[in-house]
Amino acid sequence: KAGVTQTPRYLIKTRGQQVTLSCSPISGHRSVSWYQQTPGQGLQFLFEYFSETQRNKGNFPGRFSGRQFSNSRSEMNVSTLELGDSALYLCASRSGSEQYFGPGTRLTVT
Amino acid sequence: AQTVTQSQPEMSVQEAETVTLSCTYDTSESNYYLFWYKQPPSRQMILVIRQEAYKQQNATENRFSVNFQKAAKSFSLKISDSQLGDTAMYFCAFILYSGAGSYQLTFGKGTKLSVIP
């Protein structure tokens, strides 16, 4: 089976812009979670989607949003980008209790 | 709230030797899973090993094994016969099991392991 894929892999944006990241889970997996990884805060949970419904959301401002489509692909959107949003954004698809991660999208905000 | 603590920010080990990475966690729940993930310089997060809290037997995966002490809330990772490819950040993570609910991984800060030739 193909693994979790994320696009794009690298992204450079300017403060105030918005960005959309995409994640395709492993075939058959219906759950997708998003995590933000920064040197200062480490790995932090953003949200989880299961069958197109947001099941859980981490402690992030409303500028961070997401959605999931009927084919389980998920997108994450960040509006009004701030310098502190620079991070590696990881997507994971779940089977049972195990989460499998994609390669991540490296977002740089200038 | 669940917390995961990794007290060793960095460690090093000689190739072919054995190393143990420490992890403690805190939860009031009784039904959960614990994981070790590896993140090499490529940044791809790789699942190394999984332990169910209800199982007393320690999990093993080839050269990787855990020492799970539920009462002490301790979950250490032992890497035997260390190889250069084991050089990576290692994250201890915790997930709550809920039959109809959400899953959310809580990660420790990580331990940077360097395998020295």
Side-chain angles (χ1 to χ4, degrees):
Chain A
K1 279 185 180 178
V4 179
T5 58
Q6 291 187 246
T7 56
R9 294 293 309 278
Y10 301 91
L11 206 49
I12 299 174
K13 290 286 188 178
T14 305
R15 267 184 306 174
Q17 289 186 313
Q18 76 166 18
V19 67
T20 299
L21 312 181
S22 181
C23 171
S24 292
I26 294 170
S27 178
H29 290 190
R30 294 160 61 192
S31 165
V32 172
S33 295
W34 289 89
Y35 295 84
Q36 181 196 65
Q37 186 177 24
T38 60
Q41 298 299 316
L43 283 148
Q44 294 184 284
F45 172 77
L46 279 155
F47 27 64
E48 181 194 15
Y49 285 88
F50 183 88
S51 294
E52 302 178 65
T53 302
Q54 188 180 89
R55 286 290 190 90
N56 197 5
K57 183 173 167 60
N59 189 23
F60 279 83
R63 301 185 296 108
F64 290 82
S65 63
R67 59 178 176 169
Q68 187 180 32
F69 302 95
S70 59
N71 62 357
S72 294
R73 189 178 70 86
S74 177
E75 288 183 347
M76 188 191 104
N77 184 275
V78 188
S79 63
T80 319
L81 283 166
E82 300 178 359
L83 295 178
D85 297 333
S86 294
L88 180 69
Y89 290 89
L90 292 166
C91 164
S93 74
R94 179 171 60 80
S95 175
S97 65
E98 296 182 4
Q99 294 198 4
Y100 299 92
F101 284 82
T105 294
R106 169 74 65 186
L107 172 64
T108 302
V109 182
T110 61
Chain B
Q2 284 63 236
T3 60
V4 178
T5 303
Q6 294 179 250
S7 58
Q8 305 149 315
E10 290 193 46
M11 295 187 73
S12 61
V13 61
Q14 291 290 137
E15 196 175 5
E17 296 295 308
T18 296
V19 64
T20 298
L21 281 56
S22 301
C23 172
T24 58
Y25 60 94
D26 188 26
T27 181
S28 57
E29 304 291 334
S30 59
N31 206 0
Y32 51 88
Y33 295 82
L34 294 159
F35 304 88
W36 280 96
Y37 281 89
K38 165 186 175 181
Q39 189 177 41
S42 67
R43 308 300 284 176
Q44 176 82 50
M45 193 76 76
I46 300 164
L47 177 62
V48 174
I49 199 165
R50 179 185 87 156
Q51 175 77 44
E52 294 93 333
Y54 62 86
K55 285 189 176 179
Q56 292 188 342
Q57 185 174 6
N58 290 324
T60 62
E61 276 298 330
N62 301 313
R63 298 182 295 107
F64 299 87
S65 62
V66 298
N67 183 2
F68 174 48
Q69 302 290 327
K70 190 171 183 179
K73 296 180 181 174
S74 169
F75 182 61
S76 60
L77 175 70
K78 185 172 82 172
I79 306 174
S80 304
D81 186 26
S82 297
Q83 300 175 359
L84 296 178
D86 295 334
T87 292
M89 281 291 287
Y90 286 81
F91 292 95
C92 180
F94 169 102
I95 199 166
L96 277 176
Y97 172 76
S98 171
S102 168
Y103 289 78
Q104 173 182 331
L105 274 172
T106 301
F107 287 90
K109 293 293 189 185
T111 295
K112 184 177 180 181
L113 177 68
S114 298
V115 180
I116 303 165

